[in-house]
Amino acid sequence: MSRFTVTVFCGSSPGFDPVYVEAARAVGTAIGRSGMALVYGGGHVGLMGTVADAALAAGAEVTGIIPRALQAREAVNEDLTELILVDTMHERKMLMADRADAFLALPGGPGTLEELTEQWTWAQLGIHDKPVGLLNVDGYFDPLLSFVANMRDRGFTHPRYTDMLVVATEATEALARLRDYVPPARTEASPGAEMTGAMALPVRP
């Protein structure tokens, strides 16, 4: 029986506050202790390196996927269960998505944000039914969550899709909720068509 596999998106930087490194270590440890497997970006720097090292130390199978162009720049972890070298970022993201049973974003920069929102968008469109979550360490994602609520409140996404996002502040809680996730019921309409037909918003002066 294959292990439940979590693809983790996170920064190649550790951030300024040690709380981010502590959270990444907690996630990696919880993945290993829960009998899960980890897929991540393959680097040995920043939060990426921390989560992978912690997962390996806790007995997890860890797969890193990295473009050859980044292999030297991100100091590839040589102790991984499996290291996959690819040619492009698009290929990297597709493999990370294919191998995942769930996605979890930790604090990170623009790349983390892009990976998180892409998988959330694919879930909305029904390209996959996998859970997408974020670990809101020390309020890091509060501005993003406020923006997501603003999208909903202004009629640009349905509440069922904003409710898709699994938001947690503690590693074991995040992993348990990802494992227990049940996708929402779908309509035949696309998310945009559904919003157009279902919501008539007042005209702003």
XYZ file of all heavy atoms in Angstrom, residues 6 8-11 13-33 38 46-55 104-108 134-141 168-175:
407
model
N 2.492 13.945 0.665
C 2.241 15.380 0.758
C 3.312 16.125 -0.027
O 4.514 15.958 0.234
C 2.245 15.860 2.218
C 1.932 17.354 2.293
C 1.250 15.066 3.050
N 5.009 19.523 -0.454
C 5.158 20.728 0.346
C 5.808 21.822 -0.505
O 6.854 21.601 -1.125
C 6.007 20.465 1.604
C 6.350 21.768 2.321
C 5.250 19.538 2.560
N 5.169 22.976 -0.519
C 5.728 24.166 -1.147
C 6.220 25.090 -0.032
O 5.469 25.372 0.917
C 4.667 24.906 -1.967
C 3.980 24.062 -3.005
C 2.591 24.018 -3.073
C 4.712 23.325 -3.926
C 1.940 23.256 -4.033
C 4.069 22.559 -4.887
C 2.687 22.527 -4.945
N 7.439 25.591 -0.144
C 7.947 26.490 0.889
C 9.176 27.224 0.372
O 9.678 26.938 -0.715
C 8.268 25.737 2.177
S 9.497 24.426 2.003
N 9.667 28.153 1.185
C 10.734 29.027 0.750
C 12.096 28.347 0.673
O 12.427 27.477 1.476
N 14.455 30.228 1.242
C 15.043 31.071 2.284
C 14.458 30.642 3.626
O 13.322 30.160 3.677
C 14.705 32.543 2.030
O 14.969 33.340 3.179
N 15.200 30.832 4.730
C 14.644 30.480 6.035
C 13.763 31.560 6.641
O 13.091 31.311 7.636
C 15.898 30.267 6.892
C 16.905 31.190 6.292
C 16.628 31.186 4.815
N 13.754 32.761 6.028
C 13.035 33.877 6.644
C 13.834 34.461 7.801
O 14.829 33.897 8.251
N 13.393 35.607 8.297
C 14.117 36.306 9.351
C 13.826 35.780 10.750
O 14.614 35.966 11.659
C 13.795 37.809 9.312
C 14.346 38.527 8.103
C 13.565 39.457 7.428
C 15.627 38.270 7.650
C 14.069 40.123 6.322
C 16.133 38.930 6.536
C 15.349 39.865 5.868
N 12.665 35.165 10.910
C 12.236 34.722 12.241
C 12.431 33.210 12.373
O 11.947 32.457 11.530
C 10.759 35.085 12.449
C 10.315 34.953 13.897
O 10.791 34.019 14.571
O 9.479 35.761 14.336
N 13.104 32.743 13.421
C 13.309 31.304 13.594
C 12.012 30.496 13.669
O 12.046 29.269 13.497
C 14.076 31.219 14.922
C 14.711 32.549 15.106
C 13.780 33.535 14.471
N 10.882 31.160 13.903
C 9.620 30.431 14.001
C 9.299 29.702 12.696
O 8.664 28.636 12.712
C 8.471 31.387 14.391
C 8.112 32.347 13.269
C 7.235 30.616 14.820
N 9.765 30.222 11.563
C 9.486 29.576 10.279
C 10.273 28.268 10.137
O 9.742 27.263 9.659
C 9.806 30.526 9.127
C 9.063 31.832 9.202
C 9.743 33.048 9.155
C 7.677 31.861 9.337
C 9.064 34.248 9.239
C 6.988 33.052 9.425
C 7.689 34.252 9.379
O 7.015 35.432 9.474
N 11.527 28.290 10.545
C 12.335 27.073 10.504
C 11.766 26.031 11.465
O 11.697 24.838 11.144
C 13.805 27.390 10.846
C 14.616 26.106 10.992
C 14.422 28.277 9.772
N 11.344 26.476 12.630
C 10.747 25.550 13.605
C 9.487 24.896 13.026
O 9.262 23.693 13.212
C 10.411 26.301 14.893
C 11.641 26.797 15.650
C 11.293 27.797 16.742
O 10.079 27.996 16.991
O 12.220 28.392 17.321
N 8.679 25.684 12.325
C 7.457 25.140 11.724
C 7.788 24.140 10.621
O 7.142 23.086 10.501
C 6.593 26.266 11.182
N 8.781 24.449 9.794
C 9.181 23.530 8.728
C 9.693 22.224 9.316
O 9.382 21.132 8.817
C 10.250 24.172 7.851
N 10.463 22.315 10.385
C 10.963 21.108 11.046
C 9.800 20.281 11.610
O 9.789 19.051 11.509
C 11.945 21.488 12.153
C 12.637 20.297 12.817
C 13.681 20.747 13.819
N 14.773 21.457 13.165
C 15.056 22.742 13.353
N 14.335 23.480 14.180
N 16.060 23.300 12.715
N 8.822 20.971 12.179
C 7.659 20.277 12.734
C 6.869 19.563 11.647
O 6.388 18.439 11.850
C 6.764 21.267 13.477
N 6.734 20.176 10.480
C 6.008 19.546 9.378
C 6.739 18.293 8.903
O 6.139 17.225 8.719
C 5.803 20.536 8.224
C 5.327 19.817 6.958
C 4.795 21.608 8.611
N 8.046 18.408 8.678
C 8.807 17.247 8.235
C 8.745 16.110 9.231
O 8.550 14.945 8.859
N 8.889 16.441 10.510
C 8.821 15.421 11.558
C 7.447 14.763 11.599
O 7.330 13.531 11.702
C 9.152 16.047 12.922
O 10.477 16.595 12.885
C 9.066 15.019 14.040
N 6.391 15.566 11.499
C 5.030 15.032 11.541
C 4.743 14.146 10.338
O 4.046 13.121 10.458
C 4.024 16.170 11.614
N 5.267 14.494 9.167
C 5.089 13.650 7.974
C 5.704 12.277 8.216
O 5.092 11.233 7.948
C 5.694 14.335 6.736
C 4.798 15.500 6.286
C 5.880 13.340 5.589
C 5.399 16.347 5.181
N 6.931 12.268 8.744
C 7.586 10.993 9.003
C 6.885 10.171 10.065
O 6.664 8.970 9.899
N 6.518 10.808 11.161
C 5.887 10.083 12.262
C 4.489 9.594 11.910
O 3.992 8.636 12.517
C 5.843 10.971 13.501
C 7.224 11.204 14.123
C 7.150 12.097 15.338
N 8.475 12.267 15.952
C 8.727 13.109 16.944
N 7.750 13.867 17.448
N 9.945 13.196 17.441
N 7.014 12.530 1.601
C 7.170 13.940 1.233
C 7.687 14.061 -0.187
O 8.631 13.363 -0.578
C 8.155 14.619 2.195
C 8.655 16.019 1.813
C 7.520 17.045 1.878
C 9.812 16.440 2.722
N 17.216 26.827 3.026
C 15.998 27.444 3.520
C 15.036 26.466 4.159
O 15.432 25.419 4.689
N 13.751 26.799 4.096
C 12.739 25.922 4.674
C 12.648 24.601 3.921
O 12.316 23.562 4.508
C 11.370 26.617 4.676
C 11.259 27.933 5.446
C 9.797 28.357 5.545
C 11.874 27.833 6.836
N 12.983 24.629 2.629
C 12.961 23.389 1.840
C 13.898 22.356 2.447
O 13.535 21.191 2.649
C 13.379 23.680 0.393
C 12.414 24.528 -0.390
S 13.077 25.010 -2.005
C 13.280 23.417 -2.776
N 15.123 22.775 2.741
C 16.089 21.859 3.318
C 15.682 21.384 4.696
O 15.856 20.205 5.039
N 15.103 22.288 5.478
C 14.699 21.933 6.841
C 13.608 20.882 6.846
O 13.664 19.899 7.585
C 14.222 23.180 7.595
O 15.298 24.124 7.674
C 13.760 22.832 9.000
N 12.578 21.064 6.036
C 11.469 20.114 6.036
C 11.922 18.753 5.530
O 11.516 17.706 6.057
C 10.266 20.665 5.223
C 10.527 20.664 3.736
C 9.002 19.887 5.533
N 12.812 18.734 4.532
C 13.289 17.459 4.003
C 14.155 16.726 5.021
O 13.996 15.513 5.232
C 14.072 17.694 2.710
N 15.073 17.444 5.654
C 15.938 16.807 6.648
C 15.122 16.234 7.805
O 15.392 15.132 8.293
C 16.956 17.821 7.186
C 18.084 18.091 6.211
O 18.265 17.300 5.263
O 18.791 19.109 6.391
N 14.134 17.002 8.257
C 13.307 16.536 9.379
C 12.486 15.318 8.986
O 12.324 14.378 9.778
C 12.398 17.662 9.859
N 11.956 15.307 7.768
C 11.164 14.164 7.306
C 12.038 12.911 7.201
O 11.632 11.814 7.616
C 10.507 14.480 5.971
N 0.613 21.170 0.657
C 0.690 22.025 1.834
C 1.728 23.107 1.591
O 2.884 22.807 1.267
C 1.073 21.210 3.072
C 1.179 21.998 4.387
C -0.170 22.589 4.783
C 1.733 21.111 5.496
N 1.315 24.354 1.751
C 2.226 25.488 1.599
C 2.655 25.991 2.970
O 1.830 26.207 3.855
C 1.562 26.615 0.822
N 3.948 26.169 3.124
C 4.534 26.838 4.273
C 4.940 28.239 3.828
O 4.879 28.555 2.635
C 5.755 26.056 4.770
C 5.512 24.845 5.683
C 4.670 23.779 5.002
C 6.848 24.240 6.115
N 5.357 29.091 4.745
C 5.819 30.410 4.315
C 6.884 30.322 3.227
O 7.722 29.414 3.213
C 6.380 31.006 5.616
C 5.525 30.401 6.676
C 5.315 28.981 6.217
N 6.817 31.250 2.314
C 7.757 31.298 1.202
C 7.534 32.557 0.401
O 6.758 33.434 0.796
N -2.579 25.359 3.723
C -1.451 26.207 4.086
C -1.295 26.210 5.596
O -2.265 26.111 6.344
C -1.615 27.623 3.531
C -2.907 28.394 3.811
C -2.795 29.166 5.118
C -3.208 29.346 2.665
N -0.055 26.284 6.018
C 0.273 26.367 7.434
C 0.525 27.828 7.751
O 1.531 28.409 7.329
C 1.511 25.519 7.751
C 1.775 25.303 9.236
C 0.695 24.410 9.856
C 3.151 24.679 9.452
N -0.404 28.411 8.470
C -0.367 29.858 8.721
C 0.501 30.140 9.948
O 0.006 30.388 11.048
C -1.792 30.389 8.912
C -1.839 31.902 8.838
O -0.910 32.538 8.345
N -2.919 32.484 9.325
N 1.801 30.118 9.735
C 2.777 30.271 10.812
C 2.855 31.731 11.239
O 3.189 32.611 10.442
C 4.171 29.792 10.344
C 5.185 29.923 11.484
C 4.102 28.360 9.834
N 2.523 31.982 12.498
C 2.639 33.330 13.073
C 1.919 34.376 12.215
O 2.384 35.502 12.063
C 4.115 33.692 13.236
C 4.331 34.876 14.172
O 3.534 35.048 15.118
O 5.299 35.645 13.950
N 0.773 33.977 11.639
C -0.013 34.913 10.838
C 0.567 35.246 9.486
O 0.116 36.204 8.840
N 1.543 34.442 9.014
C 2.213 34.773 7.756
C 1.238 34.926 6.587
O 1.386 35.823 5.751
C 3.253 33.696 7.414
C 4.033 33.993 6.158
C 5.103 34.874 6.186
C 3.679 33.415 4.933
C 5.814 35.168 5.029
C 4.370 33.699 3.786
C 5.451 34.577 3.837
O 6.135 34.876 2.686
N 0.242 34.058 6.522
C -0.676 34.067 5.388
C -1.924 34.920 5.635
O -2.841 34.909 4.797
C -1.100 32.634 5.033
C -0.031 31.845 4.324
C 0.613 30.788 4.957
C 0.334 32.154 3.024
C 1.585 30.054 4.311
C 1.310 31.425 2.360
C 1.945 30.368 3.007
N -4.419 25.814 8.704
C -4.085 25.336 10.043
C -2.875 26.100 10.552
O -2.127 26.708 9.778
C -3.805 23.843 10.032
N -2.683 26.053 11.857
C -1.543 26.734 12.467
C -0.559 25.761 13.102
O 0.478 26.185 13.614
C -2.014 27.730 13.548
O -2.780 27.032 14.538
C -2.870 28.836 12.930
N -0.867 24.475 13.043
C -0.019 23.475 13.687
C 0.142 22.285 12.742
O -0.790 21.906 12.033
C -0.676 23.051 15.007
C 0.214 22.281 15.948
C 0.119 20.797 15.695
O -0.971 20.350 15.265
O 1.114 20.088 15.918
N 1.341 21.703 12.718
C 1.686 20.724 11.693
C 0.795 19.492 11.715
O 0.276 19.078 10.668
C 3.157 20.317 11.847
N 0.621 18.867 12.872
C -0.164 17.635 12.909
C -1.624 17.895 12.556
O -2.272 17.058 11.924
C -0.058 16.962 14.290
O -0.450 17.898 15.310
C 1.370 16.509 14.556
N -2.141 19.058 12.963
C -3.512 19.429 12.586
C -3.626 19.561 11.076
O -4.590 19.074 10.457
C -3.903 20.740 13.258
C -5.271 21.255 12.833
C -5.490 22.736 13.119
O -4.556 23.395 13.604
O -6.600 23.222 12.834
N -2.666 20.235 10.459
C -2.694 20.428 9.010
C -2.702 19.088 8.282
O -3.508 18.867 7.366
C -1.500 21.262 8.569
N -1.825 18.183 8.682
C -1.731 16.893 8.002
C -2.985 16.051 8.213
O -3.456 15.382 7.280
C -0.497 16.140 8.491
C 0.847 16.789 8.156
C 1.989 15.977 8.758
C 1.034 16.943 6.656
